[in-house]
Amino acid sequence: MESHAVMHYRRDNMADLLRSHDINPTHQRIEIAYALFSRQAHLSADQVMMIVNDRHAETSKATVYNTLKLFLEKGMIREVIVDPSKVFYDPNISPHHHLYEVDSGELTDIDAHQVRIEGLPELPENMETEGIDLIIRVRRKKA
Amino acid sequence: MESHAVMHYRRDNMADLLRSHDINPTHQRIEIAYALFSRQAHLSADQVMMIVNDRHAETSKATVYNTLKLFLEKGMIREVIVDPSKVFYDPNISPHHHLYEVDSGELTDIDAHQVRIEGLPELPENMETEGIDLIIRVRRKKA
DNA sequence: CCAATAATTAGACAGAGTCCAATTCCTAGA
DNA sequence: TCTAGGAATTGGACTCTGTCTAATTATTGG
């Protein structure tokens, strides 16, 4: 536990992280993974793009989108759909929910272990749950 | 209760429905409200547009978007954000959650009264909850 | 080292949604 | 009934997110 809390994601870790998810580590993928994991933040594709190309352009738009989709398929990151205009990507894959500040767009994690959801209907036999998204939309009280 | 369940939304009702939400009833607004309420379905702006202009074009894209936003602000409909590519509008404003079939895009309501959510964190004093969205993402089991 | 395969790329494209200035509609008052 | 002024609607250009494609460049196993 302690070791996990203390874990600092460094560029050197990224190749192993990628390999452990069956992803071939390439320059671009390492940079994109590093952008997400070193910050532990919810980033849009656009933000990832800007971070990765901060100094000199190195990674194309197509690659950013391809790579995020790949990470997603391999279960290395999660997708957060709260903003109608863009998707956010979340390097935290442990079960958790989200608190969304609608005005600022700020997203905060809520550990799923502290939350209980009861009374959900049974699913038909041929269906399976892919995920449960719980989003608390909050706003600053006006005056 | 009974009376509500039996309620059939007709074009004639729409003007009153609009007025009761402080919305000036106009032809276009009545048609758009009717599209949503008579079907009791989750529709995208695009779908509303097609329904309303089914026979002869009557309502512009700008008006459809303006109007849906207006209905939303006035609390007459709800927004459902599950599909990264488009927003759905929901004429059901009673507390409920959603079951989302990821492959087909089909959305089903889950009455909120049968569901209990416990253990949510306290909000800071200056924040208030705007809404709680619970989305169960399901998919057809593969073989 | 070389061939085969995998990854990346620029840029065209698509679709949702916004914006704006011009027009049309509606209403209240004379 | 007529009219002025505010409200609503409109076409179309525009923006932005994301996808696609065909060509190029890396990588890797033998």
Side-chain angles (χ1 to χ4, degrees), chain A residues 72-120:
Chain A
L72 193 61
E73 280 164 15
K74 296 294 188 176
M76 204 176 92
I77 62 176
R78 267 176 54 172
E79 206 178 24
V80 185
I81 302 170
V82 279
D83 180 323
S85 74
K86 59 170 86 68
V87 173
F88 287 98
Y89 295 91
D90 187 347
N92 179 0
I93 53 166
S94 72
H96 69 284
H97 306 299
H98 290 104
L99 197 137
Y100 182 59
E101 223 265 77
V102 293
D103 300 312
S104 68
E106 201 186 334
L107 264 178
T108 316
D109 287 354
I110 300 171
D111 181 19
H113 294 105
Q114 69 184 83
V115 179
R116 262 180 322 290
I117 301 173
E118 285 167 26
L120 290 180

Side-chain angles (χ1 to χ4, degrees), chain B residues 94-129:
Chain B
S94 72
H96 69 282
H97 305 300
H98 290 102
L99 197 137
Y100 183 58
E101 222 267 78
V102 293
D103 300 312
S104 68
E106 201 186 334
L107 263 178
T108 316
D109 287 355
I110 300 172
D111 181 19
H113 294 107
Q114 68 184 85
V115 179
R116 263 181 321 290
I117 301 173
E118 284 166 27
L120 289 179
E122 293 278 324
L123 291 186
E125 245 315 306
N126 59 333
M127 292 283 166
E128 61 186 345
T129 301

